[in-house]
Amino acid sequence: MKDISLGQYYPIKSPVHRLDPRTKMIAVILYIITLFLIPMLPNYINNGGTLHDYLIIAAVCYGLIFILLIVAILFSRVPILRVLKSIKGILFLLIFMSLISMFFYGGPISEGSWQWSWWNLNLSTESLINAGIMSLRLVLLILGPTILTLTTTPTDLTAGIESLMSPLKLIKFPVRIFALIMSLALSLIPGLMDETAKIINAQKSRGAHFDSRNLFKKAKAMMPILIPLFISAFKRADDLANAMDSRCFNSSKKRTKMKRLSFKARDLSLLLFVASLIGIIVYRGGLYMQSIMIGGIVLGGVAVVFMLFGIIESVVLKRTDG
Amino acid sequence: MEIIRFENVKFKYNAGHIDEVKAVDGISFSVKEGEFLALCGHNGSGKSTLAKLMNGLEVPSSGNVYIGGMDINEETKLTASEKVGQVMLAPLLMLGGELPRLNTKIKKNLFEIRKTVGVVFQNPDNQMVATIIEDDVAFGPENLGLKPKEIRQRVDWALESVGMLEYKEGAPFRLSGGQKQRIAIAGVLAIKPKVIVLDESTSMLDPSGRQEVLDVIKRLNKEEGMTVIMITHFMEEAAMCDRVIVLKEGKILLDGGREIFKETEKIREAGLELPIAARVAFRLKEKGMDIKDGIVEIGELVERL
């Protein structure tokens, strides 16, 4: 089985693995918001800051985030290389983006800084710093959710999403079904991957070429794979529906769950820790990006409210269940 | 006590269309509790349709399928009026020596029917609903609305009885075919059905995987007293059962104990092969060897020789 980014759970026991999935999800959401709260160089300078100040702010903010990340990785006991592997997937995007932002930097350049230009391409101290920070941000952006998926089983993830979305029940959104669909999709992925490999081999053995360099030929060669894959996916779905019906799905009874999420002291302390880090970062750098900051706070607020709902619900359910 | 009854059941696929297929054509039989039954037939003999008819996934075009043996005293969360009805009916039905039977045609019965009859299908990969084994097994009891503690007990018990308890936190796709199918059986067992139907559940497995599954099924029947209906086209598997029904083109051709293996001609007619031991014994007898009739298992044959 090759790497499947959605199901890359790393099965060991660690403090991070033990955390409530909702805690981890909220923490990751807050983490992402924070990343976007740190000002970018052009905005900072346009708002009257200097390059020197910016470097200090960036060092503090990214330093804090970096510490948070390292702590999380160390506590999760996942090998660092395994975590870093996730960057491989965005390597092309990363290089592309940093090149663009390096050569086409549109922000103001201070007088004393180093500059170089050829044809339409311009380099300067600012553009290099900007490109560096942008790639750093992208890498950090990927690593946070990677730790989440490495330390949380897909089942727990869907349970977490289900719980966080539970306020939507108020507007009759079928949260339970939605979560089930997600977990079904996750459980079907390995099977479908196997199926694809089988079909590719079958078509190859009948003389199909998939290694043409021509893009059109390549696209055309996909058809004999896609059609059987679709047919087998529908067949599979049909079988699955029968199997689910046979196991009493769709009964009028209210479904219960075997595993119930529980929000513990360690979850609260982690959230407080993350929140305080974010507090520092907003205080240091967020002042310059008010619009984004307001958006971030609103998002974070919504997330927290959702989480509270989920927690309250689970506490209430526990009470009633005895 | 009778638990499944087919009364002159007919079933057509695509009824009313040009490509109408008569899958089941007037079948009547009944299954007693604790029986170990094999339904054999060639491809297209209607045997898989029978499995779907047994738990209401399909409803007969004509005739009726009844699922019986629902224990009156069992704690089933019925509405007050249903309860009263059940209690009032019970003595009447008891007089006739029967417990209330549920017709698969009535939608309201489906939940009880599926609680009574669990079906394990052919392809183990297509029956998995979760990415973790114990979550997959828990799917059934969760649908029953049981309490978390009870679900946990049932899941552990079900995995224990198929010998897969140690894998409970693993992922199904890493397992072998036989192991996956045992998980699928555990998923049905966790509902605690009275009848377990295996719809060609061993046909996609290698010999060792098949043996694993067959051992589990045998044990469930002998030790837990579960009614087992095995749908298969392997006559070797049918030979382990106490009763065999041979189907041909949607009709019952043979129905009986092991003595049906004597009906060589009819079994051939149904497009099936006799078990190897029976074939060897038959040939030896043709060559004039003194051999008893009714040998179906290798062990018996070896002993005889």
Side-chain angles (χ1 to χ4, degrees):
Chain A
M1 192 60 48
K2 282 180 211 145
D3 277 307
I4 310 157
S5 58
L6 279 167
Q8 58 174 351
Y9 179 63
Y10 195 82
I12 46 167
K13 288 202 162 74
S14 83
V16 181
H17 284 71
R18 270 201 299 276
L19 284 170
D20 189 309
R22 289 169 295 185
T23 313
K24 286 185 263 188
M25 283 158 73
I26 297 280
V28 166
I29 292 169
L30 291 176
Y31 168 93
I32 290 172
I33 293 170
T34 317
L35 270 177
F36 282 107
L37 285 179
I38 303 171
M40 292 305 289
L41 184 58
N43 302 56
Y44 189 83
I45 290 178
N46 282 337
N47 279 300
T50 63
L51 183 60
H52 181 256
D53 287 349
Y54 179 75
L55 284 179
I56 292 173
I57 284 172
V60 171
C61 294
Y62 287 109
L64 283 174
I65 285 194
F66 204 67
I67 290 168
L68 178 67
L69 202 65
I70 293 290
V71 168
I73 293 175
L74 286 182
F75 273 103
S76 71
R77 298 199 190 128
V78 179
I80 290 197
L81 274 179
R82 183 76 184 74
V83 182
L84 292 180
K85 234 171 103 183
S86 62
I87 300 174
K88 238 170 73 184
I90 56 151
L91 207 59
F92 177 74
L93 182 72
L94 193 67
I95 293 170
F96 185 72
M97 256 184 59
S98 51
L99 283 179
I100 293 274
S101 61
M102 210 153 80
F103 288 113
F104 301 101
Y105 175 67
I109 297 163
S110 56
E111 280 185 22
S113 67
W114 169 84
Q115 287 188 35
W116 174 88
S117 80
W118 172 74
W119 189 48
N120 269 343
L121 310 173
N122 303 297
L123 280 182
S124 64
T125 322
E126 275 89 350
S127 78
L128 286 177
I129 291 171
N130 192 43
I133 291 211
M134 263 178 77
S135 2
L136 181 66
R137 188 158 85 166
L138 193 62
V139 168
L140 292 176
L141 203 61
I142 293 296
L143 290 184
T146 302
I147 295 174
L148 173 70
T149 50
L150 279 171
T151 60
T152 319
T153 61
T155 327
D156 276 351
L157 273 182
T158 45
I161 292 172
E162 186 185 339
S163 169
L164 289 180
M165 285 189 7
S166 55
L168 292 180
K169 278 181 196 156
L170 292 178
I171 56 163
K172 298 265 154 104
F173 183 80
V175 176
R176 195 74 207 260
I177 306 263
F178 183 77
L180 187 69
I181 290 170
M182 271 198 314
S183 88
L184 281 180
L186 286 176
S187 67
L188 280 181
I189 288 173
L192 282 182
M193 302 242 317
D194 279 352
E195 194 73 40
T196 317
K198 265 186 219 160
I199 293 170
I200 288 178
N201 284 337
Q203 304 292 32
K204 265 187 186 161
S205 73
R206 291 171 12 173
H209 292 287
F210 296 113
D211 23 69
S212 164
R213 286 191 167 266
N214 185 324
L215 209 64
F216 286 101
K217 273 189 188 157
K218 228 176 180 168
K220 219 174 161 187
M222 290 309 283
M223 284 316 277
I225 299 173
L226 285 180
I227 292 170
L229 189 63
F230 266 92
I231 291 171
S232 94
F234 280 117
K235 169 100 182 46
R236 201 173 269 260
D238 203 35
D239 281 359
L240 187 65
N242 275 338
M244 285 169 70
D245 269 344
S246 297
R247 284 158 76 180
C248 299
F249 186 65
N250 252 341
S251 71
S252 49
K253 283 236 168 76
K254 197 169 177 264
R255 289 194 76 204
T256 47
K257 297 207 89 172
M258 175 171 71
K259 292 173 180 164
R260 187 152 290 156
L261 303 174
S262 63
F263 194 82
K264 298 204 176 68
R266 57 168 176 253
D267 296 296
L268 188 66
S269 52
L270 176 88
L271 278 186
L272 286 177
F273 176 62
V274 176
S276 59
L277 272 182
I278 289 161
I280 297 173
I281 289 165
V282 169
Y283 176 71
R284 289 297 318 209
L287 300 171
Y288 298 91
M289 296 192 82
Q290 257 131 25
S291 52
I292 291 185
M293 196 179 83
I294 291 166
I297 288 169
V298 169
L299 260 178
V302 169
V304 169
V305 167
F306 269 41
M307 184 191 62
L308 285 177
F309 254 103
I311 292 162
I312 291 166
E313 198 204 39
S314 66
V315 169
V316 169
L317 274 179
K318 217 170 240 173
R319 286 268 163 73
T320 52
D321 272 15
Chain B
M1 188 175 44
E2 200 174 273
I3 195 149
I4 294 179
R5 173 184 274 279
F6 276 59
E7 274 177 4
N8 197 21
V9 172
K10 292 184 179 172
F11 183 82
K12 294 172 194 154
Y13 283 107
N14 305 322
H17 287 268
I18 313 164
D19 50 351
E20 182 180 290
V21 184
K22 262 191 206 166
V24 174
D25 194 11
I27 279 186
S28 304
F29 69 97
S30 66
V31 182
K32 291 197 186 70
E33 240 184 307
E35 223 170 347
F36 195 2
L37 168 71
L39 282 172
C40 312
H42 196 241
N43 286 346
S45 60
K47 58 190 193 305
S48 280
T49 311
L50 284 186
K52 287 182 183 158
L53 287 166
M54 279 179 201
N55 76 343
L57 284 174
E58 302 284 8
V59 175
S61 314
S62 76
N64 287 303
V65 177
Y66 294 105
I67 306 301
M70 192 179 82
D71 195 350
I72 277 288
N73 300 319
E74 201 181 347
E75 190 54 47
T76 46
K77 282 180 188 146
L78 301 168
T79 62
S81 61
E82 275 175 316
K83 241 178 199 163
V84 170
Q86 292 248 344
V87 172
M88 298 216 336
L89 271 173
L92 286 175
L93 291 162
M94 292 287 202
L95 281 178
E98 280 175 87
L99 286 172
R101 290 194 310 212
L102 304 163
N103 192 327
T104 55
K105 275 181 179 165
I106 298 166
K107 263 216 160 124
K108 228 172 64 190
N109 288 342
L110 283 181
F111 181 61
E112 285 302 327
I113 286 171
R114 286 174 186 159
K115 251 170 76 179
T116 314
V117 183
V119 184
V120 181
F121 292 94
Q122 186 176 22
N123 188 340
D125 288 313
N126 296 358
Q127 298 174 59
M128 298 288 164
V129 293
T131 41
I132 294 199
I133 288 167
E134 57 177 1
D135 294 341
D136 186 72
V137 177
F139 181 76
E142 281 177 347
N143 288 335
L144 299 183
L146 299 171
K147 293 202 171 128
K149 232 186 188 172
E150 160 113 51
I151 298 178
R152 168 59 68 191
Q153 281 168 359
R154 283 190 177 202
V155 167
D156 288 351
W157 169 79
L159 282 171
E160 176 89 70
S161 25
V162 298
M164 293 291 292
L165 191 58
E166 58 195 297
Y167 296 90
K168 68 176 182 181
E169 277 164 21
F173 66 85
R174 292 186 199 281
L175 300 176
S176 74
Q179 288 174 320
K180 277 186 210 168
Q181 200 59 285
R182 274 148 74 195
I183 299 295
I185 292 174
V188 169
L189 278 184
I191 301 170
K192 297 209 171 168
K194 295 216 165 75
V195 185
I196 186 162
V197 181
L198 298 130
D199 183 5
E200 297 196 61
S201 301
T202 59
S203 65
M204 292 182 78
L205 307 178
D206 57 15
S208 71
R210 180 179 307 160
Q211 200 52 50
E212 282 170 28
V213 171
L214 292 179
D215 288 345
V216 166
I217 297 166
K218 251 192 229 167
R219 210 181 56 71
L220 285 173
N221 176 255
K222 298 285 175 287
E223 284 169 30
E224 312 270 347
M226 194 168 268
T227 314
V228 175
I229 300 176
M230 225 168 32
I231 294 174
T232 180
H233 57 254
F234 293 112
M235 291 309 264
E236 263 78 21
E237 285 178 7
M240 337 180 319
C241 299
D242 303 330
R243 179 179 165 199
V244 182
I245 293 180
V246 177
L247 297 166
K248 192 199 169 197
E249 286 161 11
K251 290 193 171 91
I252 292 181
L253 197 68
L254 289 167
D255 180 358
R258 284 154 161 242
E259 69 274 6
I260 65 128
F261 289 108
K262 285 182 204 157
E263 309 259 3
T264 329
E265 283 311 308
K266 278 195 171 171
I267 287 177
R268 293 246 166 84
E269 191 191 320
L272 297 166
E273 283 261 30
L274 280 172
I276 287 189
R279 248 184 293 159
V280 173
F282 184 72
R283 289 279 170 82
L284 286 175
K285 204 177 173 189
E286 268 185 346
K287 289 276 174 198
M289 216 167 140
D290 178 29
I291 229 164
K292 203 183 75 175
D293 271 346
I295 285 179
V296 285
E297 275 180 309
I298 304 261
E300 287 174 283
L301 181 67
V302 170
E303 214 163 89
R304 189 58 45 187
L305 290 175

